[in-house]
Amino acid sequence: MNHKKNFLALVLGVLLICAAGQSSQAQQHKSKHSFEIKNGSFLYDGKPIQIHSGEMHFARVPHQYWRQRLKMMKAMGLNTVATYVFWNFQETAPGVWNFEGDHDLAEFVKTAGQEGMMVILRPGPYACAEWEFGGFPWWLQKTPGMVVRTDNQPFLDSCKLYFTKLAEQVGDLQITHGGPIIMVQAENEFGSYVAQRKDIPLEQHKAYTAAIKKIIDEVGFDIPKFTSDGSWLFKGGTIEGALPTANGEGNIHNLKKVVNEYHGGKGPYMVAEFYPGWLDHWAEPFPKVSAESIVKQTEKYLKDTVSFNYYMVHGGTNFGFTAGANYNGEHDIQPDLTSYDYDAPISEAGWATPKYKAIRTLMQRYVHYPVPEIPQQIPVIEIPAIQLTQSANLFDLIGKMKPVENDTPMTFEDLNQGYGYVVYQKKFVQPIQGKLKVDGLRDYAIVYVNGKQVGELNRYFKNYEMDIDIPFNSTLTLVVENMGRINYGAEIVHNLKGIISPVTINDMEITGSWQMYKLPMTSFPEITSGTSQTTGNPALYKGSFDVKDVGDTFLDMQDWGKGIVFVNGHNLGRYWKVGPQQTLYLPGCWLKKGKNTIEIFEQQNDKKHTELHSIKTPILESLRLPEKKGA
């Protein structure tokens, strides 16, 4: 018995020694590296470093591809990855938080660390990024008394909950806790917002940004903070205790001058958004930035020890309904493309472009750390013919649905719907002719009388009215699409969708028993069997196809009008014949060997479709504008 006790005591002692050793190793690991802003420099383990960063948003890339994209960045000569965190991507419904799969922020950060990359976190709460509502959840607009991006307690309370959730996920992945996150941004490009919202006193703006930084500190982010603005906007955008960095600043003299002014007369100096490409809108040319100009500017930064972050080094894709929209005077709204290729060095599908190779060659001349070989490209396949064997008329589908009824049209938000489509119907017991006006259209509508298409209205082209002839005992139908909430500028506070103001005919408001059918398209509606679609009506198509070997591909939508595509349940995003994007990126990780399903919602449906093809290269520069207003 005593021998057994002695043996157990010996085993216990060994275990305690091992545990103590492991604890000691863990502590050593957690204190392995340090990062701070001191003496005008970024210091990593006490030594000055230059940050060579590239922006990649984990939300725009399937999680199965994160590592390959990070390896591509590493092989371009970068040592850091910057990523936005989109609030509405993490809180997918009020109080519903998703940190799994493509939403797994912590896993992305860990993967970056495993690949030897430092991480810069950009959690907002406002991001912009051509993302729906700039990252804000759509339902914030429904909260009584809440005003986004202001010193408003209901908004700040919501922000604190959001930041608390993020800290729970990645707080232990900060460099102060042994992880790879070295800096966190407070708000984003707030100086430009101050410049546009002159109706709010500067001291109130400053109170808001100070409150955001305080929240970020309080929830447990204990690493250096920074702000990011155009250099001419620092007055409104800088925050006490945060490093000011500049966006798009090519003049190093100007950069140093303005940072010195707002940061105690010294650096470090960083261009937090250095643009190797540019954003893209539907119905507008695809902008290009030359490799030569980017290499030339990069070399200036490298020579002058200016840190930089390529925005974007890899853009990815606005899958589903995640694309936002910009706003200007010429167009009420400029919807962003599904592709976020951005003419970036790493293409939408993760390919090394000529721009990538030119930057890589330059970086190899300047950096003192090893630059690995370019990783192997993900295989690309071509699917010659996808047969669409089932179809249905949307109007047959909604005939089986229960509508919401109201005296006037309701917004998406009033219908408690964030994205997708709403079908608005109004029965007329007396005939009426004249000018139909939908000044509150948000954003695109096809108009029908008794199921027959009679016109299109379009916020982009400022086409809000049309002649209408509604016979006795007839039904007016508007199929309305939300094309993405505004993501930048003062108009971000005006982001309701659907029909947001009275519908008139001959300047008389049309009221009384409007029926609204909700089509959020969170999943594709079921098609039972057959081919019951009608040309000229919105249609639902379904088919299947087999693949022997999976790989990336691009669905060729040049023969289609406007709509969305699901493959194996994944919403690939919007297509629209106006271009310039004419293909949809289909990641191979969403395919499976053998049978795959495809589902398409085609809004315009000017002709019957029986098949679809895929091709090996994307079409992103084919603009096909209509000859007259509409689309």
Side-chain angles (χ1 to χ4, degrees):
M1 189 71 179
N2 289 334
H3 291 296
K4 288 183 178 179
K5 286 184 178 180
N6 291 337
F7 176 75
L8 289 173
L10 178 63
V11 171
L12 181 60
V14 171
L15 290 174
L16 288 172
I17 292 170
C18 290
Q22 290 172 354
S23 176
S24 175
Q25 290 174 5
Q27 291 300 320
Q28 289 174 10
H29 173 72
K30 287 201 168 190
S31 61
K32 185 176 180 181
H33 298 293
S34 65
F35 180 86
E36 56 185 334
I37 296 172
K38 189 175 180 181
N39 300 328
S41 297
F42 293 118
L43 300 180
Y44 191 86
D45 289 345
K47 299 177 181 179
I49 65 161
Q50 187 176 18
I51 295 172
H52 308 137
S53 178
E55 187 104 0
M56 166 189 161
H57 303 145
F58 68 95
R60 286 180 155 128
V61 180
H63 69 275
Q64 297 91 334
Y65 286 173
W66 289 344
R67 191 176 298 276
Q68 189 268 348
R69 303 301 199 261
L70 290 163
K71 286 181 179 291
M72 289 289 293
M73 295 174 60
K74 188 81 171 176
M76 202 177 88
L78 304 184
N79 59 16
T80 307
V81 57
T83 186
Y84 276 126
V85 184
F86 302 120
W87 183 350
N88 56 17
F89 191 68
Q90 308 302 152
E91 189 179 11
T92 54
V96 179
W97 296 87
N98 188 349
F99 291 100
E100 298 179 353
D102 293 344
H103 303 255
D104 195 341
L105 168 63
E107 185 61 28
F108 175 76
V109 173
K110 290 174 186 176
T111 305
Q114 291 163 6
E115 293 301 325
M117 304 285 282
M118 296 180 289
V119 177
I120 295 174
L121 204 63
R122 309 182 72 189
Y126 164 75
C128 184
E130 293 68 62
W131 187 269
E132 221 276 340
F133 203 1
F136 289 134
W138 64 268
W139 60 85
L140 293 184
Q141 302 172 103
K142 291 172 61 70
T143 304
M146 180 179 290
V147 184
V148 301
R149 299 194 89 185
T150 59
D151 187 24
N152 167 274
Q153 199 58 48
F155 179 62
L156 293 175
D157 289 344
S158 294
C159 289
K160 187 162 189 176
L161 175 60
Y162 164 59
F163 284 121
T164 298
K165 291 290 185 180
L166 293 190
E168 290 172 358
Q169 294 293 315
V170 298
D172 286 344
L173 295 175
Q174 298 174 89
I175 196 166
T176 45
H177 301 259
I181 305 174
I182 58 170
M183 289 198 298
V184 60
Q185 184 177 346
E187 242 284 347
N188 180 53
E189 297 180 320
F190 196 71
S192 62
Y193 193 67
V194 170
Q196 295 178 30
R197 293 298 308 271
K198 294 180 180 177
D199 56 311
I200 299 175
L202 179 61
E203 58 268 23
Q204 290 186 23
H205 283 307
K206 289 293 187 178
Y208 162 65
T209 52
I212 290 296
K213 180 184 178 296
K214 182 180 178 183
I215 290 171
I216 293 173
D217 290 337
E218 288 176 345
V219 300
F221 286 100
D222 54 7
I223 51 178
K225 316 300 186 299
F226 71 100
T227 59
S228 180
D229 284 286
S231 59
W232 60 97
L233 299 167
F234 275 23
K235 181 179 180 180
T238 53
I239 303 174
E240 184 70 27
L243 173 72
T245 67
N247 289 351
E249 183 56 75
N251 187 310
I252 294 175
H253 173 75
N254 289 344
L255 171 67
K256 292 185 175 181
K257 179 181 178 181
V258 71
V259 171
N260 288 346
E261 180 181 352
Y262 287 90
H263 195 244
K266 57 187 176 183
Y269 309 105
M270 181 170 182
V271 177
E273 292 190 6
F274 171 26
Y275 306 113
W278 194 242
L279 58 95
D280 315 292
H281 299 127
W282 291 109
E284 297 177 13
F286 185 95
K288 305 284 280 189
V289 178
S290 72
E292 292 77 14
S293 65
I294 298 306
V295 168
K296 183 177 179 181
Q297 186 63 40
T298 301
E299 188 164 24
K300 290 180 181 178
Y301 295 148
L302 291 168
K303 286 181 175 180
D304 216 326
T305 323
V306 173
S307 293
F308 56 86
N309 173 49
Y310 290 113
Y311 187 101
M312 301 289 296
V313 71
H314 171 57
T317 309
N318 294 315
F319 294 115
F321 298 119
T322 60
N326 284 296
Y327 179 95
N328 66 14
E330 181 181 357
H331 302 286
D332 283 352
I333 194 171
Q334 295 172 286
D336 301 310
L337 293 186
T338 297
S339 171
Y340 202 59
D341 178 87
Y342 216 88
D343 191 32
I346 304 170
S347 77
E348 179 180 14
W351 302 347
T353 65
K355 189 179 296 181
Y356 174 99
K357 294 174 181 176
I359 295 171
R360 170 182 156 84
T361 299
L362 173 71
M363 296 297 291
Q364 286 177 309
R365 287 170 38 206
Y366 280 89
V367 300
H368 302 295
Y369 45 81
V371 177
E373 293 299 313
I374 302 174
Q376 186 175 358
Q377 181 176 303
I378 292 170
V380 182
I381 64 172
E382 184 173 315
I383 307 168
I386 300 171
Q387 300 302 317
L388 303 173
T389 54
Q390 295 175 274
S391 62
N393 188 328
L394 176 68
F395 296 149
D396 292 339
L397 176 71
I398 66 171
K400 303 173 184 177
M401 298 168 58
K402 184 178 180 179
V404 176
E405 295 193 24
N406 197 57
D407 194 49
T408 57
M410 298 169 67
T411 67
F412 275 48
E413 290 73 18
D414 286 338
L415 291 166
N416 203 34
Q417 178 177 326
Y419 316 109
Y421 312 83
V422 170
V423 178
Y424 295 82
Q425 284 193 341
K426 175 73 176 73
K427 184 74 176 287
F428 288 79
V429 296
Q430 297 293 332
I432 187 170
Q433 295 178 330
K435 187 72 69 176
L436 170 69
K437 290 186 179 181
V438 192
D439 291 335
L441 175 65
R442 302 293 184 269
D443 302 297
Y444 174 89
I446 304 181
V447 184
Y448 305 83
V449 174
N450 290 334
K452 181 180 179 181
Q453 184 175 328
V454 294
E456 295 181 17
L457 302 176
N458 189 319
R459 188 181 178 193
Y460 176 84
F461 293 108
K462 290 189 174 181
N463 183 19
Y464 295 111
E465 62 183 53
M466 58 177 284
D467 293 327
I468 197 88
D469 184 357
I470 304 175
F472 167 76
N473 198 33
S474 296
T475 300
L476 171 69
T477 302
L478 294 91
V479 180
V480 176
E481 176 189 6
N482 163 12
M483 289 197 68
R485 289 179 181 81
I486 293 169
N487 54 248
Y488 178 80
E491 286 298 310
I492 199 169
V493 297
H494 303 132
N495 252 328
L496 301 180
K497 289 298 180 178
I499 297 176
I500 71 167
S501 66
V503 174
T504 65
I505 298 179
N506 296 332
D507 295 325
M508 294 185 297
E509 183 177 356
I510 305 303
T511 61
S513 192
W514 279 90
Q515 295 187 321
M516 285 144 284
Y517 298 87
K518 299 165 62 175
L519 294 169
M521 291 287 184
T522 49
S523 59
F524 200 80
E526 183 179 352
I527 301 177
T528 53
S529 62
T531 55
S532 63
Q533 61 88 9
T534 303
T535 302
N537 284 175
L540 306 162
Y541 291 90
K542 186 174 182 178
S544 63
F545 58 96
D546 291 328
V547 295
K548 293 181 180 179
D549 297 299
V550 299
D552 291 350
T553 192
F554 301 88
L555 299 183
D556 186 352
M557 308 307 297
Q558 293 181 93
D559 199 36
W560 295 70
K562 195 175 196 305
I564 55 175
V565 179
F566 286 75
V567 173
N568 293 333
H570 296 277
N571 186 341
L572 303 186
R574 301 180 181 94
Y575 63 87
W576 190 12
K577 66 183 180 183
V578 299
Q581 177 179 354
Q582 301 291 347
T583 53
L584 287 174
Y585 173 51
L586 172 53
C589 59
W590 290 351
L591 293 175
K592 51 191 176 184
K593 289 186 178 182
K595 186 177 180 180
N596 296 264
T597 60
I598 185 167
E599 297 160 312
I600 304 170
F601 174 48
E602 164 59 41
Q603 297 161 249
Q604 296 178 342
N605 202 42
D606 295 334
K607 58 183 177 180
K608 187 175 181 179
H609 297 277
T610 59
E611 65 179 23
L612 179 69
H613 299 80
S614 85
I615 54 180
K616 288 187 174 182
T617 54
I619 301 172
L620 299 177
E621 301 178 46
S622 178
L623 201 60
R624 301 190 298 183
L625 294 178
E627 294 182 1
K628 58 182 180 179
K629 287 185 177 181

